[in-house]
Amino acid sequence: MPDISLTIVVVLCLASLAAGWIDAVVGGGGLLLLPAMLLGLPGGTPAAYALGTNKAVAIVGTTGAAVTYARKAPVDVRLAVRIGLAALAGSTVGAFVAAGLSTDVLKPVVMVVLLGVGTFVMLRPAFGTAPSAEPVSTRRVLAAIGLAGLGIGFYDGLIGPGTGTFLVLALTALLHFDLVTASATAKIVNCCTNAGALATFAWKGTVYWQLAALMAVFNLVGGTVGARTALKKGSGFVRVVLLTVVFALVANLAYQQWIA
């Protein structure tokens, strides 16, 4: 465990709690947790340790949220795992590509896409408020595996921020899920991608396991409470959180691109 003060440990644990809640409701918890890790760890700590420890924390909260959703929401676990395995493959390829590509080139594109998505959700109040009564076709399932799995998985390996949010939006649009079911399915997919990333960081030895274990307890509580909140409040509540996270993502990427 790194030599950090008790105050910083408390701040990191509270950030982990909040991030778990946000991530469980609509994704995007990494927007809060990863910057907190980067700021909280001692100066000079390689970024890989922040990334690895972040994954070790996030997988616990994501798993807790996934279990909570699976117990109470109509989740097709088999479909979610199929998309998750595709996302795992996509994130692996994305990580390799990221090694030789500047993500600064892609960030403006992602910002434009997010603004478009946010505008669409604002102008379509009914988007994701109720599941479609029609059965999902095989073509849509394959599209979800390709886009939500391989495509967004690739983005996760290449850039990362907002992966859970993109998954919720893609699953809602492609499979006609309501936002609560989409969030539940996205958690299972996230478990797959987080497991692959964590295995890589663990193999490289860039995880602070003691710090991760402590923060993971708070992340698990946040994730479980967030999932229960989404189930209780319904899709209307998730829609509000979704829009908040989308525009926070845009602001975060704009700051990284032009200010930081």
Side-chain angles (χ1 to χ4, degrees), residues 12-26:
L12 288 176
C13 287
L14 292 176
S16 184
L17 178 72
W21 187 91
I22 294 169
D23 210 45
V25 175
V26 76

Side-chain angles (χ1 to χ4, degrees), residues 86-109:
L88 177 58
S91 63
T92 302
V93 175
F96 277 107
V97 173
L101 179 68
S102 172
T103 56
D104 289 340
V105 177
L106 298 177
K107 286 177 182 176
V109 177

Side-chain angles (χ1 to χ4, degrees), residues 61-224:
T62 299
T63 302
V67 171
T68 302
Y69 274 124
R71 287 176 175 174
K72 298 184 179 182
V75 184
D76 187 335
V77 177
R78 288 185 60 191
L79 173 59
V81 170
R82 288 161 66 190
I83 297 172
L85 292 175
L88 177 58
S91 63
T92 302
V93 175
F96 277 107
V97 173
L101 179 68
S102 172
T103 56
D104 289 340
V105 177
L106 298 177
K107 286 177 182 176
V109 177
V110 175
M111 281 186 277
V112 171
V113 172
L114 281 168
L115 284 172
V117 165
T119 302
F120 173 81
V121 174
M122 288 180 66
L123 296 177
R124 295 284 296 275
F127 179 74
T129 55
S132 172
E134 299 178 5
V136 179
S137 66
T138 302
R139 185 170 60 181
R140 285 188 173 274
V141 170
L142 292 175
I145 292 173
L147 179 60
L150 287 171
I152 296 177
F154 178 83
Y155 168 81
D156 191 21
L158 188 66
I159 302 178
T163 297
T165 306
F166 276 126
L167 281 171
V168 171
L169 291 164
L171 293 170
T172 303
L174 291 171
L175 301 179
H176 295 163
F177 287 164
D178 62 85
L179 288 171
V180 172
T181 302
S183 291
T185 306
K187 291 308 110 203
I188 297 174
V189 176
N190 267 163
C191 285
C192 295
T193 57
N194 283 341
L198 178 58
T200 301
F201 286 118
W203 177 66
K204 291 182 177 181
T206 55
V207 179
Y208 289 129
W209 291 107
Q210 289 177 300
L211 179 61
L214 180 60
M215 293 173 62
V217 174
F218 288 83
N219 197 252
L220 176 62
V221 172
T224 303

Side-chain angles (χ1 to χ4, degrees), residues 2 41-50 208:
L41 293 177
T45 302
Y49 282 88
Y208 289 129

